Each structure stands twice: as structure tokens, then as C-alpha cells.
Amino acid sequence: MGSHSQQDSLPTPRNDAGRHGLEAILAHPGRAVIGLDFDGTLAPIVPDPEQARAHPDAVPAMSALAPKVCSVAVITGRPADVAVRYGGFGDAPGLEHLVVLGHYGAERWDAVTRTVQAPAPPPGVAAVRTELPGLLDALGVARGTWIEEKGRAIAVHTRRAEDPQATLEVLRTPLAELAARHGLIVEPGRLVLELRPPGMDKGVALSEYVREVGAGAVLYCGDDLGDLPAFGAVEKLRGEGVPGLLVCSGSTEVPELAGRADVVVDGPSGVAGFLAALAARLG
């Protein structure tokens, strides 16, 4: 398994496709898109999602790398402006061309204009917002669960519950039924279930962005089930002749992702180290 421990050395991807992806990024960095998830990748997972902040080494590493590649894009389930604020991306030197694709790509923030482009939230979100507290009460899980308001989506976290995994299992079917009643889908994550509109995911967002900028290579780094579509998009792009590199942040909580990654790094600190090492290699 590719691993990374030193700031000044890049890990060797564990398969030919990953090695080819890294070689393509190093050979032609000006054509490479670097796609990054936020929570669990750039920011450590914390019990209260409103307290999430980028790892202290993440923004300096991104700032060092961004001017040397075609584009750095943060692709997150959070609202775009929240990711910008919690990441500290707005005024970071070197990130003057950063793009943040929020709500799985339904929203877009560009550093160049410092504005968010976003469609109106679908009506189903408001209906779910109204019904959700009563449903959690009826299920007996209101205590210890946490509703996160995300504008175009609503997330229910169980990390604070007495038995977080058991509480998540209790919620799966009722939340799926609630979502379906209002034309939404459920996106599972690490001790969180998110109710959101269908039709957009990180794979769609990444593929569209890669085509938009005409990228010749792509790297994607994520940590959770919501990142699997982006991994799938990179694998599809590889099949179409665009080299790609898949990086997993952390290896234990989401083995499906780690198993498909070319390189596994040790959480957000490892991601920052990897990005810094890549920037250093590009000179």
C-alpha cells in the first residue's frame, strides 16, 4: 500500500494506473487538476461539524501547490461559502484561482470573483427540515443526535450519541423513507446521514470540471463514502486516456475507499504533507 511519512518524499502509488497518474502530473503540472474533499481530508473530523477547520498545514501546502498546476478545486458536501470560511481559503496567498464546488457541485465559489453561484434549494429540503425533529423524537434518538443545516441539504450526525453506530442504523430506513417522500436521497458518511437533492455527486462535479478546464491529468483525494463517485470518475477518465491518481485520507474508517486508492495517507496531516511534497517536487 502506498504510504507517506516524510514531508520531502512522495509516496509510490501501489499500481500501474496510479504511477502513470503521478508521472503525468509531474511531467505536465500545468495541465493537472487537483481535486480535494474538505471534511476528513483537509479538515480533521470533529464531534461538532460547525467547529471543523482546515488542518494548520493544509492551506500552506495548497498555496504552495496551486500556482504550479492547472487548478486546485475543493469538492465538498458543505455549502461552498462555509467551506471557504472554515478552510480559511478566502485570503490565502497562492489560492487566487481556487474553485470550491459545494453541495456536491450544485454550488460554485470562485476566488477570482469571490462569489457563489447557486440554484434555489428544492422545496423538499424545507419539508424535511420541518418534519425531522419530530421524527427523531418519535424514534427516541433526539438526545445525542445533531441536525446540521446545510441550505440545500440537511445532515443528521450520530457521533455524539451514546452508541453512534447503533443510532445510525436505527435512522437509516426512516430517513430514507422521509427523503423519498420529498424527492430527496440519503448520502451516508462517517456517522452521518445527509438528505439532499438527487442528480449531483462528487463524480459528476469532478468530471464536469476536468472537462471544463481541459485537464490532461487529475488527482482526487477523499476520505468517505461520498468520495466514491469521484474515485469512479477518475477511474472512468483513466479509461478515456486522462491519467489519474487516487489518494485516500486515512485507512480504517472507510475501507472501501482505501481499497481503491493508489496512495493512502494518514488523515488531514498526511494529505497536507503529500500536497507539500508534490509542490516541492514541482520546484
Side-chain angles (χ1 to χ4, degrees):
M1 184 179 295
S3 62
H4 181 60
S5 57
Q6 293 180 317
Q7 290 269 345
D8 58 351
S9 65
L10 275 173
T12 302
R14 59 184 173 186
N15 55 48
D16 288 343
R19 287 190 286 273
H20 181 47
L22 180 57
E23 285 162 9
I25 292 165
L26 293 172
H28 304 287
R31 297 195 63 210
V33 163
I34 309 298
L36 305 164
D37 168 48
F38 185 71
D39 291 280
T41 299
L42 294 173
I45 297 287
V46 291
D48 179 352
E50 291 181 10
Q51 298 304 313
R53 296 295 182 270
H55 187 280
D57 296 336
V59 172
M62 291 166 68
S63 294
L65 180 59
K68 298 170 181 177
V69 297
C70 170
S71 178
V72 173
V74 175
I75 306 175
T76 174
R78 286 187 183 268
D81 60 342
V82 171
V84 171
R85 200 163 68 246
Y86 290 4
F89 303 138
D91 300 307
L95 298 183
E96 293 86 1
H97 297 278
L98 181 72
V99 170
V100 178
L101 303 174
H103 282 305
Y104 303 90
E107 287 187 353
R108 175 169 173 158
W109 177 89
D110 283 271
V112 172
T113 58
R114 301 179 74 82
T115 57
V116 174
Q117 297 170 290
V125 175
V128 164
R129 184 181 297 120
T130 302
E131 291 182 36
L132 194 53
L135 177 63
L136 297 182
D137 265 337
L139 292 169
V141 296
R143 185 187 193 73
T145 52
W146 167 270
I147 297 174
E148 182 188 4
E149 176 55 62
K150 300 177 78 169
R152 292 181 56 80
I154 295 176
V156 181
H157 296 261
T158 65
R159 199 167 284 271
R160 295 176 178 176
E162 197 172 313
D163 187 336
Q165 191 60 45
T167 305
L168 193 78
E169 297 309 325
V170 166
L171 286 169
R172 275 188 202 278
T173 300
L175 289 190
E177 290 169 351
L178 175 64
R181 261 203 320 279
H182 297 292
L184 304 180
I185 60 168
V186 174
E187 181 81 49
R190 288 159 70 173
L191 301 177
V192 60
L193 295 167
E194 182 173 316
L195 291 77
R196 66 177 184 85
M200 205 64 189
D201 62 37
K202 291 182 181 181
V204 174
L206 181 62
S207 298
E208 289 182 354
Y209 188 67
V210 163
R211 290 194 182 94
E212 176 193 325
V213 300
V218 59
L219 177 155
Y220 185 79
C221 181
D223 76 303
D224 206 349
L225 294 170
D227 296 303
L228 284 170
F231 269 40
V234 172
E235 290 162 348
K236 186 168 187 293
L237 285 163
R238 284 170 170 173
E240 296 167 1
V242 179
L245 180 66
L246 294 170
V247 181
C248 175
S249 167
S251 58
T252 54
E253 282 206 38
V254 188
E256 302 97 310
L257 207 69
R260 281 170 69 177
D262 307 313
V263 169
V264 177
V265 297
D266 187 17
S269 64
V271 172
F274 178 85
L275 297 177
L278 184 56
R281 179 73 73 87
L282 293 173

